[in-house]
Amino acid sequence: MADSAATISRPRVLSGMRPTGKLHLGNYMGALHNWVNLQNGGQYDCYFFIADWHALTTDYADPSNVLQNTKEVILDYLAAGLDPAQSVLFVQSHVPQHAELHLLLSMITSLGWLERVPSYKEQQENLVGKDLTTYGFLGYPLLQAADILIYQPKFVPVGQDQVAHVELTREVARRFNQYYKLDGRDVLPEPDSLLTPSPKLPGTDGRKMSKSYGNTILLSDPEPEVRRKLKTMVTDPARVRRTDPGDPDKCPVGDLHKVFSPHQTIEKVYAGCRTAGIGCIECKGWAADSLVQILNPIQQRRASYSDSDVQDVLKEGANRARARAEQTMVEVRAAMQLTPMPQAVR
């Protein structure tokens, strides 16, 4: 399906995720839910991808799970409500122009810019036992910049913790435009961060929901598994005994209610918890009820897609993404005065 003139006239947005396995509620509320709203609002030309090359920056020694994880993530994209008729959904490695632009941008990017990215030292400290002294790990923010700039988007929907990456992308685009012009104009527009709401979502142990902590509730977890995980969830430490009053504002289960439960349930939680009128087991059961209401339609959509459906979605998405990416690369190559690529090679 070719992009229509109406689609092209809308501001473009671009975002993606690394394929680290099935997605969880933290991924959903932190990104996917917002992406679906951007898509359904009709204001934006949406591109959402799976960053499989990025998975290799830390897991290069054992890539055995990347293919299966990519399949799981695209299923979760579709299950959450991303629609291939409204958004371009694709896998990063299916669009080789990402790698070409990354190479060209590496010629002008200072090492100091990459070394000061906040997550560079943080991940080196946190991912103990892995050799991260590789160019791929140092350069992953530049690959991320290429992922963005190849589509010349207006906005990149991110949470506050990702703003630094968008700022690096803007710096790279600015330097490129200083060195290279095409008919006197800039080729790579500087994208803006589109800050999206990301509510506090704790995992079952009270920490931030994360696969690395093993505390997640997956979008694909069946109802019995959701209820089992909720039963083990930590609560307000002040409630040692059933008769002790608690405070939902200090309780991870209370945080889940605030995000997923209807107003009437939240009122019952506050009244019952603060007076010890309800126990934590009952409160967790209400939270599970709310989560199941959210997850049921997601899981029904997931089950409706066959393997061939997924392959068709990714093939169509790759074709559309490659066509758009090549438009940018034609301009980049011309601005850098590189030899035009023969038509047969393209």
Side-chain angles (χ1 to χ4, degrees), residues 20-36:
T20 57
K22 292 181 177 180
L23 302 183
H24 53 74
L25 283 170
N27 302 131
Y28 179 70
M29 294 309 302
L32 271 177
H33 181 67
N34 292 317
W35 294 359
V36 172

Side-chain angles (χ1 to χ4, degrees), residues 311-330:
Q311 291 303 312
D312 289 344
V313 167
L314 292 180
K315 180 179 179 180
E316 176 69 16
N319 288 338
R320 294 176 65 189
R322 280 197 297 264
R324 184 60 193 81
E326 183 59 22
Q327 291 180 33
T328 302
M329 288 311 303
V330 167

Side-chain angles (χ1 to χ4, degrees), residues 49-53 90-96 98 322:
F49 71 102
I50 301 170
D52 56 341
W53 280 336
F90 63 100
V91 176
Q92 179 189 32
S93 64
H94 294 178
V95 186
H98 286 240
R322 280 197 297 264

